[in-house]
Amino acid sequence: MTKNIDYDKNILKATKLLFRNLKLFIPDIIFIVFSWTTAALLVLFNFGELVRIFPQAVINEAWTRTASKILKDIIASENFLIKLIITVLMWILANVIVGISTKAMRYSMIGAVIKGEKLNLKKAYIEARKYLVSIFFIVILLSFISLIPLAFIGAVISGLRTLSPAVGIPLIILLVIVGLLYLLFIKTAFLFTYPVLILKTKKQAVKTLKNTYQYFKLNKKKSFIVLAIIIGINLVASTLSFGGIPGKEINFNILFLLIVFLGSIFGILLNIAAKLWSELFIFES
């Protein structure tokens, strides 16, 4: 059943909820710190071989030749290649586990905020464990739903390159547009997936996606409007976050490094805030 939505009221309410519940930033900050720290450890663990493969001699070469040489050197060093693959896979796996865990904790906290409950990190962590499996399978299923058709479109585009430009280019442009429209449809159709999971189904990824799609069919206009508002807010946040990075006219010194560091932190926090606001707005709508 559809209902009229006061978008202005929901925009204001989502903003108030975000500023009153700054603990919502914690899961994303945990994930970013973990991801960056483990990435640094990954580089340090492979530092010796990386220094050998990235000699100063290749710095002045054209990038395409440099990349080709680096790739050949990595492949030629069989032991390092195996070590690199294992450590990268371990890093990816660790980030997936922590990413899903912090995502579940974030949605658990947002659900509590929407219900008017006081945020408690311990309670949110315990509650989040209920959603781990469901969120994992939702991510997998939505990835398949999104990527398999796009892979098919990509394969068709690859085959069209053999045609003459007069025929192939218009078809390629058409298929790219179809792919973008398909992504927009998927994003809109499953926009309310996590509110449905947290506030209604509680578990079962497939049931959650089915219920979300049923909700979309009854509320198409609302879904598109909510998505349009979110895209607008995130574009503004992205623009402001890039604005926090200084231009080339500043000398490369301590002050420059400090400004870049603070600008980067500002950009990261602003993007987290935009994401949290978007999710609060979705839940509230």
Side-chain angles (χ1 to χ4, degrees):
M1 183 176 179
T2 60
K3 64 176 182 176
N4 293 325
I5 303 296
D6 188 338
Y7 297 104
D8 292 337
K9 181 180 177 181
N10 286 351
I11 288 172
L12 183 60
K13 189 169 183 181
T15 305
K16 288 181 178 178
L17 287 174
L18 178 60
F19 281 101
R20 290 173 182 172
N21 298 276
L22 295 180
K23 287 181 181 179
L24 289 172
F25 281 80
I26 292 175
D28 286 282
I29 291 173
I30 290 173
F31 176 68
I32 289 171
V33 171
F34 176 84
S35 184
W36 286 11
T37 303
T38 51
L41 291 173
L42 176 67
V43 172
L44 288 173
F45 186 70
N46 296 288
F47 186 74
E49 287 292 336
L50 288 172
V51 169
R52 184 184 67 78
I53 291 174
F54 287 82
Q56 287 291 322
V58 304
I59 291 176
N60 295 323
E61 294 183 20
W63 168 245
T64 52
R65 285 185 295 159
T66 302
S68 176
K69 185 179 187 307
I70 291 170
L71 183 61
K72 287 178 181 177
D73 286 346
I74 290 175
I75 294 173
S77 180
E78 185 177 337
N79 290 336
F80 174 63
L81 178 62
I82 294 171
K83 177 184 172 184
L84 183 64
I85 290 172
I86 291 173
T87 51
V88 168
L89 288 176
M90 289 175 63
W91 179 78
I92 292 172
L93 178 61
N95 275 268
V96 168
I97 293 171
V98 175
I100 295 293
S101 300
T102 52
K103 188 171 187 162
M105 187 174 178
R106 182 174 74 246
Y107 283 125
S108 173
M109 292 170 73
I110 290 174
V113 167
I114 295 299
K115 294 173 186 175
E117 299 173 3
K118 186 176 179 181
L119 282 183
N120 182 294
L121 292 178
K122 183 178 179 181
K123 182 180 177 182
Y125 172 75
I126 294 171
E127 185 73 12
R129 290 188 296 181
K130 301 177 184 178
Y131 306 116
L132 283 176
V133 175
S134 297
I135 289 176
F136 174 76
F137 281 108
I138 284 172
V139 171
I140 295 296
L141 290 170
L142 286 179
S143 297
F144 274 110
I145 292 170
S146 302
L147 296 178
I148 290 178
L150 291 180
F152 175 75
I153 290 174
V156 174
I157 289 175
S158 179
L160 290 176
R161 289 186 301 174
T162 59
L163 300 177
S164 64
V167 177
I169 291 177
L171 289 175
I172 289 173
I173 293 173
L174 178 62
L175 285 172
V176 169
I177 292 172
V178 169
L180 292 174
L181 289 175
Y182 176 74
L183 283 178
L184 178 63
F185 170 76
I186 293 299
K187 181 66 178 176
T188 310
F190 296 101
L191 186 64
F192 294 94
T193 296
Y194 294 107
V196 170
L197 172 67
I198 303 298
L199 302 177
K200 292 185 178 181
T201 59
K202 303 299 182 182
K203 293 183 180 181
Q204 301 180 23
V206 174
K207 182 180 178 182
T208 297
L209 292 178
K210 285 182 178 178
N211 288 352
T212 303
Y213 189 68
Q214 289 297 323
Y215 182 82
F216 164 72
K217 289 197 295 184
L218 295 173
N219 299 274
K220 293 186 182 72
K221 181 180 177 181
K222 181 178 106 169
S223 298
F224 280 109
I225 292 173
V226 170
L227 182 62
I229 293 172
I230 288 170
I231 290 173
I233 293 295
N234 279 273
L235 284 174
V236 171
S238 297
T239 303
L240 291 174
S241 65
F242 280 118
I245 300 175
K248 294 181 180 179
E249 68 274 4
I250 297 179
N251 293 326
F252 190 80
N253 51 30
I254 297 298
L255 177 61
F256 172 82
L257 293 175
L258 180 61
I259 293 173
V260 169
F261 175 74
L262 293 176
S264 300
I265 296 298
F266 169 77
I268 290 168
L269 292 176
L270 188 60
N271 282 304
I272 292 175
K275 179 171 68 174
L276 290 171
W277 181 90
S278 300
E279 290 169 347
L280 285 166
F281 181 60
I282 291 171
F283 270 74
E284 196 60 48
S285 297

